[in-house]
Amino acid sequence: MSEPDRPRDLDTRLAQACHFIETETGGISPPIHPSSTYARDAQYRHIGDFSYSRSGNPSWRVLEDVCADIDGGAAALCFASGMAAVTSVLETVASGERVVAPRVMYHGSQDWLRRIADRRAIDLALFDATDPGALAAAIRPGKTSLVWIEPLLNPTWDVIDIAAAAELAHAAGALLVVDATVCPPVTTRALEHGADIVFHSATKYLNGHSDLLAGILVSARRDERWAEIEQVRLLTGGVLGPFEAWLLLRGMRTLALRFDRASANALAIARRLEHHPLIERVLYPGLESHPGHEIAARQMTRGFGGMLSLLVRGGGETARSIASSTRVLVPATSLGGVESLIEHRAAVEGPHSAVPQNLLRLSIGIENADDLLADLEQALEQV
Ligand SMILES: *Cc1c(COP(=O)(O)O)cnc(C)c1O
């Protein structure tokens, strides 16, 4: 296979992701390599670069090259799911070290942090991201090895300044890991803001079609820590199948288009519902009224994405009945797909949840914005 010179613009690079021309056939979509093992030659050397598929294979290589490129990193690793990537990073934290993370964040990552804190004597400090001094206060120089943030906190969409967090983490000798699942590299390139490692649940925007699970890590450097994470992937075996690797690449080709449309739809919906009598507040960083709007505008260069939450008047009951009265928005968890989803978030997160009972989380897709608005308005009128 030959690879043409890389064109400069991100949209072009995404549209032509893995735009190899196979020299043998002229095929412009990459082949899928299902082989689990790779043969040796007469000198007992491996014929190509691969030995066994859990340590590496050609289907990962094209995907990881594209992911490293679009996030501007030195290297990327793909995993069987977002959580397989999250747990692999956290596996490199040693007993006694401090990990700092937001109090409100993706519940799965926080549940894992709580588990390793209990079982491995890791000192977990959860900070209130709405309090400007809280992150600095939570970091202990020399003791804190890792700071984990989300630029938009799920599901309140409060904003964390990546560059400021990087400065604090680095001054204390800690690593900054950014869960950029809701801020894909078309809008935020977290490494450019100072992150050491960027994580994406590729199940969401990168793939965009709600038809696979995958996780991606991109690192600013190929260093010891990175080699250890790769070793954890090899030994724990949370590896992506070659078919999923191929399907993810196909989804990524339309990332820019999907993200632009979802952002435009979500902004239109947020603006319309902001003054709706049955809604107490719309939480969307694209609204000028959002407390994190200025920082979000600085680090989301191309729209604020499709994630927004509604605080409805009334309690959990009202919120749940709205979520079950939509006809266009699908009542399901997850995000970042072409189809819009709605969920009563507190019910999904379980006992540790700090999410208000009257919060509905919406993942806005690429449908017609008027259809989505009419659907939400009729659901609100049902209650
Ligand atoms: C979905 C999600 C994850 C976990 O990813 P999976 O692919 O479901 O394992 C982590 N962080 C965020 C912000 C997510 O939305």
Side-chain angles (χ1 to χ4, degrees), residues 81-84 86 106 109 150 154 179 181-182 199 201-204 213-215 334-335 361:
S81 69
M83 285 310 297
V86 170
Y106 177 68
S109 311
E150 297 174 2
N154 193 341
D179 178 344
T181 298
V182 298
F199 156 67
S201 167
T203 311
K204 317 292 170 54
L213 286 142
S334 197
L335 63 94
R361 193 183 87 170

Side-chain angles (χ1 to χ4, degrees), residues 149-167:
I149 62 163
E150 297 174 2
L152 294 183
L153 293 166
N154 193 341
T156 57
W157 318 118
D158 285 314
V159 181
I160 295 185
D161 186 329
I162 304 169
E167 223 169 275

